[in-house]
Amino acid sequence: MAAQSLQFPRRSLLFMPGDSLKKIQKAATWEVDTVIMDLEDGVAQNRKEAARAVVGEALLTLGFGPRERLVRLNHISTGLPPVEIDATCMGRPDGYIVPKAEDESDLRAVDRLLDAAEKRLGLRDGAFRLFAMIETALGVMNLKEIARATPRLEGLIFGAEDLAGDMGAARTRDAWEVFYARSAVVTAAAAYKLQAFDMVFTDFNDAAGLETESRVARQLGYTGKTCIHPNQTPVVNAVFSPSVEEVDRAQRLVAAFEEQQAAGAGAFTFEGKMVDMPMLVAARKVLARAGTTESLSP
Ligand code: COA
Ligand code: MG
């Protein structure tokens, strides 16, 4: 499960309302790693049925090239996921997203529905990937059980807007009000070998603000960021792709480490700073993300 979950490094994940065929069609032209067709909060209550039909049809008929195709479900308590999966599984999306995940039962319920859909369609067990959104206080408290709920789970998505609402916190540009949760999500993801995707940046005309927020996310260990507008994905892709300088430095560090190990030194000086095993692990991760090594296993 661990190595498999890292084999598709997603940098940008773009949400679009499931009832907008136009936006879904356009998604296939954007520079984006993952397309998220939303059936949840991006769709008005009186458009839920229409959205299911549009997403089902889009998955069956549109080509998305190399882009991963995900469907965001409504929460299991709405009673909607069974019909949502029925309406969309024929189009073989790559996976589904559980919003507002609060405990393992939220994931297990969807897991069972996906098991049944796979059997009906003659697909292998686990063919549909699963992602959980952590965007409530209870979800943050139960991160461990959510992260371990099912081997189908590939990633955690942090949702700051819903969380702030749930906590009665005021959203600010610096995002300190959600820092504990933002950090907890990426820590849980690392502990259970999942990918972690950062919150959306709602001011889609502010590219500089998006870049700053994306850099903080990357520093925290996030592997990618969710987006709401196509003008955000090039910025996010750039931040989450290792730069030429980073790759070069990582390659030199790995080479120096191997040389020093052979000479019997575990810790040594590299470009004026102490280097030992944790820096090697970090350098290998940079190379894996850059696609310069064969395996992305940690
Ligand atoms: N996915 C795909 N295409 C999108 C898009 C998205 N998320 N957001 C905008 N576009 C398209 C528009 O259709 C438009 O296409 P056109 O030039 O052919 O008309 C183009 O990109 C430029 O869009 P723009 O006019 O700047 O924005 P808008 O007013 O059409 O839409 C939003 C603004 C916020 C409503 C829109 O970006 C959106 O729907 N975002 C996703 C919302 C969502 O899913 N929320 C739930 C998860 S948080
Ligand atoms: Mg939400």
Side-chain angles (χ1 to χ4, degrees):
M1 175 179 79
Q4 190 188 15
S5 68
L6 287 167
Q7 268 161 12
F8 188 106
R10 308 157 180 93
R11 299 162 302 169
S12 55
L13 303 86
L14 177 64
F15 277 105
M16 62 214 59
D19 60 336
S20 172
L21 181 60
K22 184 183 151 202
K23 284 182 180 144
I24 298 174
Q25 279 168 333
K26 294 206 80 165
T29 66
W30 307 127
E31 192 190 310
V32 60
D33 293 334
T34 298
V35 168
I36 305 178
M37 290 163 254
D38 188 21
L39 300 176
E40 200 219 12
D41 288 350
V43 176
Q45 285 302 330
N46 62 4
R47 297 279 297 163
K48 296 283 185 197
E49 199 178 337
R52 288 200 289 277
V54 170
V55 172
E57 188 64 17
L59 284 164
L60 282 170
T61 58
L62 299 179
F64 291 84
R67 296 165 194 79
E68 181 181 44
R69 299 148 313 141
L70 303 182
V71 176
R72 179 165 75 168
L73 302 168
N74 280 279
H75 191 264
I76 195 78
S77 61
T78 61
L80 289 171
V83 277
E84 292 173 333
I85 291 169
D86 273 354
T88 54
C89 66
M90 296 280 285
R92 312 263 176 103
D94 297 297
Y96 289 88
I97 299 177
V98 172
K100 302 182 180 73
E102 298 210 306
D103 56 34
E104 63 187 348
S105 69
D106 287 348
L107 294 190
R108 295 235 171 107
V110 173
D111 193 41
R112 282 193 294 274
L113 293 170
L114 295 178
D115 277 343
E118 283 160 357
K119 285 205 174 61
R120 280 201 310 278
L121 295 168
L123 299 174
R124 67 173 171 84
D125 279 354
F128 293 119
R129 302 167 190 161
L130 195 61
F131 300 82
M133 293 202 65
I134 307 299
E135 47 185 347
T136 64
L138 194 52
V140 176
M141 290 299 104
N142 290 337
L143 266 167
K144 187 171 170 177
E145 65 171 86
I146 292 169
R148 297 194 297 191
T150 156
R152 195 191 287 281
L153 191 67
E154 287 207 11
L156 301 177
I157 302 172
F158 178 52
E161 308 307 320
D162 279 292
L163 178 69
D166 193 30
M167 290 167 53
R171 284 289 282 120
T172 66
R173 184 54 67 108
D174 290 341
W176 285 113
E177 66 282 357
V178 292
F179 184 76
Y180 167 72
R182 196 182 183 194
S183 190
V185 167
V186 71
T187 306
Y192 297 101
K193 309 287 181 252
L194 304 170
Q195 290 189 5
F197 309 110
D198 193 37
M199 59 207 191
V200 297
F201 185 73
T202 53
D203 189 354
F204 59 83
N205 289 313
D206 178 3
L210 173 66
E211 185 178 337
T212 304
E213 192 175 277
S214 303
R215 288 199 184 286
V216 173
R218 197 177 153 194
Q219 281 164 10
L220 287 171
Y222 276 94
T223 44
K225 188 168 176 70
T226 47
C227 300
I228 45 143
H229 192 281
N231 70 7
Q232 296 185 317
T233 64
V235 177
V236 167
N237 286 343
V239 171
F240 285 95
S241 306
S243 66
V244 175
E245 295 76 33
E246 281 172 291
V247 172
D248 180 56
R249 184 177 180 281
Q251 277 168 337
R252 284 185 290 107
L253 192 148
V254 169
F257 190 91
E258 280 161 8
E259 226 170 77
Q260 294 289 335
Q261 281 280 311
F268 63 98
T269 305
F270 178 76
E271 295 176 353
K273 293 200 182 99
M274 191 277 286
V275 161
D276 65 359
M277 190 54 90
M279 290 78 161
L280 176 77
V281 171
R284 288 212 166 120
K285 281 191 175 151
V286 169
L287 296 179
R289 289 185 65 76
T292 52
T293 56
E294 276 173 27
S295 163
L296 287 173
S297 340

